[in-house]
Amino acid sequence: WMYPVKGKALPWVSRILPVLILWFLWRARNASRFEGCKVSGVQVRVSIRSELQRLAQIHFPGIALLPCQWEGFLEVLSSARRVLVAKAVRWTFPVEGSFKLNTDGCSTVGGSGGGGVIRDSRGKLIIAFADSFGSLDSLQAEARALLLGLQLGYSLGISQMFVESDCLVLVNCLKGVWGVPAVIRPVVRAVRLVTSAGHQFGHCYREGNMVADSLATFGVECGSRSIFTSASQLPLRSRGLLSLDMQNFCSFRFSLRM
């Protein structure tokens, strides 16, 4: 902390280093108390330095090599510069003859809600919805919105559908990549009851999920469930976003990279 170095990376080091120190001291203490293994101060320092280097290479991928010495490590990070990168993101059409469901959930101080839309391979609206869920967190709202979208598709006899959400946690839970948090287990069980081998789950960026995002906001605002069976029935903003998707219009996602 006392080393005189400037740069955008130094605040990141200042935040992550205390966490690593406490973590490896805790591990050394547990190894000594419960396993009878004596861990020296040198071993703890080496572990902290190695983990810090590994995390820095992940966080700053543009840096090819980080020195082992502390002074050199800070000097390299101090010269790191992150640039603003723009990525074009658009809603993608499902394959010919199939359907796609996009859903989104949100949680605000005024309550939570969800929305979604099912479209065919030409981007034409089959059905859309917006609903209010009361007091739920964002993950619960995301799960409830996805379940409602699947149930609407099931009621229309759609047995094969690509399901897209901008909630990576929910998508990975449904794909079996991550464990399912307790708060959404009942909803996930219900999701599996209305899905089959013909359903696939995928993650998208928020910028490619704007129609569902606008419907989720509308659900919170209106405080009740709304079902839309044609584009003309949609709220004005959602209708405009749907039209932009049909024209393959893109949005831009900005991020800082090395």
Side-chain angles (χ1 to χ4, degrees), residues 211-227:
V211 177
D213 178 82
S214 66
L215 288 168
T217 302
F218 182 78
V220 175
E221 292 172 350
C222 71
S224 60
R225 180 175 298 182
S226 302
I227 304 294

Side-chain angles (χ1 to χ4, degrees), residues 20 23 58 71 166 188 194 196 212 222 244:
L20 295 179
W23 171 245
I58 294 172
E71 291 82 2
D166 57 21
V188 170
V194 293
S196 63
C222 71
L244 291 176

